[in-house]
Amino acid sequence: MAILQSKNLSIGDIHRLFGYQRQYNDSFTSLLSLELLSEFERQELLQIRTDFDNYIIESKVLEGLVKALTVFPLMRLAGFYRSPIKMALEENIADIVIEDEDTKVTGRLDILAINKAKSYFWVLVIESKNSEVAVSAGLPQLLTYAYECLQHQKSVWGLTTNGREYQFVYIQQGNPPIYQLMPSLNLMESERAVELLQVLKAICELG
C-alpha cells in the first residue's frame, strides 16, 4: 500500500483521491451573517495588522510567527478561545485509506477549533504557511484534514493563510464532496481586514 503525506499532494491529487469538486462563491453573506465591528475590535485589528507589518518589512515571516502574530490574535478577538469552543494544535489526522487506489494518506493539521459540547463538532480547520508562500499551497492539506470530519458532520469551514492573505473554504459532505472557494481577504487592506474579522466571528458563532 502506498503511503502519502498530505503536505506533498497537489490539488489534482486531492480531487482524484477524494473525489472533491470545486465551486466558487463570490459572497460570504450567502452563508454567513456578518455583524458590524465595535470600535475596540477595529483598534485591535489595526494593532494586529501593524505588528505583522513590522515583521514583513524586514524579511519573510516563518509559519510559527505567522500563527503567533496574526492567526492566534485574530481567533482570540473573534471569540474562539471561549467555551464551548476549544483549540487543538498540530494534531495528527487519522490515516485515510483509499481502497480503490490502495493508498493511505496521513498528515498533521496546524490548528483546529472544535465544539466539545456538540460531540467534538469541527468548527474551523486552519493551515498556515510562511509569509512568502501562496495561500493556495495550503489547500491540499486543508482538504485532506476536512475529509475525515465529513464522515461525521455535514460541513466544516477551512482557512489557509500566509499571514497577509486569507483563503476561506466552505467544505460540504456529499457524493462527491464539494468545497467552495470564498473571496480572498487581505489583512493589509483596511476593508478586507474588517471583513476577515467579521467572517471569523460569524464562523465562531456557528460553533
Side-chain angles (χ1 to χ4, degrees), residues 79-86 115 117:
F80 279 94
Y81 290 4
R82 303 180 199 125
S83 182
I85 295 177
K86 298 295 182 182
N115 185 332

Side-chain angles (χ1 to χ4, degrees), residues 127-138:
E127 175 65 26
S128 60
K129 297 296 181 185
N130 76 57
S131 62
E132 293 188 354
V133 173
V135 291
S136 58

Side-chain angles (χ1 to χ4, degrees), residues 176-188:
I178 294 169
Y179 66 98
Q180 297 183 43
L181 288 177
M182 308 304 293
S184 179
L185 301 176
N186 194 315
L187 179 65
M188 313 316 288

Side-chain angles (χ1 to χ4, degrees), residues 20-191:
Y20 274 115
Q21 286 194 357
R22 178 164 58 195
Q23 297 180 355
Y24 295 89
N25 191 327
D26 295 330
S27 173
F28 285 100
T29 54
S30 65
L31 296 170
L32 299 169
S33 178
L34 305 186
E35 300 179 359
L36 295 176
L37 300 185
S38 67
E39 184 57 32
F40 169 78
E41 290 169 330
R42 287 176 175 271
Q43 290 301 317
E44 288 288 294
L45 184 60
L46 178 60
Q47 188 62 60
I48 293 169
R49 191 172 86 182
T50 301
D51 291 343
F52 186 61
D53 194 45
N54 287 337
Y55 277 79
I56 60 175
I57 284 174
E58 296 183 7
S59 63
K60 76 176 182 181
V61 181
L62 298 180
E63 182 180 320
L65 263 181
V66 165
K67 288 185 281 190
L69 291 169
T70 65
V71 178
F72 293 149
L74 285 168
M75 295 191 78
R76 176 191 58 78
L77 196 53
F80 279 94
Y81 290 4
R82 303 180 199 125
S83 182
I85 295 177
K86 298 295 182 182
M87 306 295 294
L89 301 178
E90 297 186 351
E91 291 195 354
N92 287 319
I93 60 171
D95 292 338
I96 302 170
V97 176
I98 299 99
E99 294 183 359
D100 291 346
E101 299 275 346
D102 194 29
T103 298
K104 180 166 68 176
V105 180
T106 187
R108 181 183 292 270
L109 55 83
D110 273 357
I111 305 170
L112 172 65
I114 57 177
N115 185 332
K116 291 189 175 181
K118 293 185 179 179
S119 300
Y120 286 80
F121 178 83
W122 289 27
V123 181
L124 178 64
V125 187
I126 301 177
E127 175 65 26
S128 60
K129 297 296 181 185
N130 76 57
S131 62
E132 293 188 354
V133 173
V135 291
S136 58
L139 200 54
Q141 287 171 271
L142 190 70
L143 293 171
T144 300
Y145 309 147
Y147 186 81
E148 180 196 356
C149 89
L150 293 181
Q151 314 307 308
H152 312 289
Q153 62 188 72
K154 292 182 178 180
S155 64
V156 66
W157 280 91
L159 169 63
T160 177
T161 180
N162 58 15
R164 180 188 291 104
E165 297 174 72
Y166 293 76
Q167 176 67 67
F168 285 93
V169 188
Y170 183 61
I171 309 159
Q172 296 169 278
Q173 185 186 80
N175 188 18
I178 294 169
Y179 66 98
Q180 297 183 43
L181 288 177
M182 308 304 293
S184 179
L185 301 176
N186 194 315
L187 179 65
M188 313 316 288
E189 299 172 3
S190 297
E191 291 185 11

